[in-house]
Amino acid sequence: MSFKWVAMLLVTCLGFESQATDFYTQPMQRLDDAVYGEQQTLTPFSGTPVVMSFFMPNCRWCEKQHTALSNLVEHCAGVQPIMMGVNGNRQDLRRALRRKHNTFPAFLSSPAITQSLGKKPPVPMTLIFNAHGELIFYTQGYRSQDTLSALLKEHQVTECL
């Protein structure tokens, strides 16, 4: 699946006309301990580059991707990682986050987002949004911190050390 196809799917299936920025307004349930169960949107994260990683329970590659994101935050200024749970119930997704000692905002993916990615979204999958809320690129499968840093630099999302 090409980047263009993913972007079109997200925009089309979410029912918005042109901007991926509206993706930030989808209500989703929080999975992280601080605000577990609250309905929130990604609106507080607009204005900063977002690295969104989709994960599911019992996924070793998702756990490795989480570690890569933790390392990425240390080396790339101003990047906001967000974990997005799919293919599991809230308790199992929350347990997966605890296993990695997650400190990132984490959400249960909204049905509209999950549907736009396909019946069973491939995980790990990472979407990168620039500070304007535009989808810049996506990757499927595990990507190391070095690879993600290079992609962020290449697409002029942020500077990494």
Side-chain angles (χ1 to χ4, degrees):
M1 185 181 301
S2 71
F3 165 75
K4 188 175 182 179
W5 182 247
V6 169
M8 286 186 349
L9 274 173
L10 278 173
V11 172
T12 303
C13 292
L14 292 175
F16 298 111
E17 293 176 328
S18 62
Q19 292 286 339
T21 313
D22 292 329
F23 178 73
Y24 285 74
T25 63
Q26 290 293 306
M28 294 175 277
Q29 199 168 49
R30 289 291 292 256
L31 292 172
D32 44 313
D33 287 336
V35 285
Y36 179 72
E38 285 185 23
Q39 285 281 335
Q40 293 185 355
T41 67
L42 300 178
T43 305
F45 308 109
S46 61
T48 59
V50 170
V51 178
M52 183 179 296
S53 182
F54 288 82
F55 74 100
M56 68 182 206
N58 305 314
C59 171
R60 290 187 188 254
W61 288 108
C62 298
E63 291 177 11
K64 287 182 76 153
Q65 191 64 61
H66 190 280
T67 301
L69 288 177
S70 296
N71 295 333
L72 181 74
V73 171
E74 294 176 18
H75 296 92
C76 295
V79 173
Q80 175 62 61
I82 295 175
M83 303 304 294
M84 195 68 68
V86 295
N87 302 337
N89 64 46
R90 288 185 321 173
Q91 291 151 335
D92 290 341
L93 290 165
R94 192 170 175 199
R95 201 172 301 124
L97 291 170
R98 283 188 180 150
R99 228 182 344 262
K100 290 308 290 175
H101 306 287
N102 179 63
T103 58
F104 309 139
F107 296 86
L108 178 62
S109 181
S110 75
I113 293 170
T114 303
Q115 185 179 28
S116 71
L117 298 172
K119 236 180 186 176
K120 281 213 164 209
V123 290
M125 174 189 270
T126 304
L127 303 178
I128 309 294
F129 295 87
N130 66 14
H132 305 292
E134 300 164 335
L135 180 63
I136 300 302
F137 64 93
Y138 87 102
T139 65
Q140 289 179 313
Y142 168 74
R143 298 293 179 258
S144 70
Q145 179 260 319
D146 291 336
T147 301
L148 290 174
S149 293
L151 287 169
L152 289 168
K153 283 182 190 178
E154 177 186 331
H155 293 282
Q156 301 173 349
V157 175
T158 189
E159 286 299 316
C160 299
L161 303 174

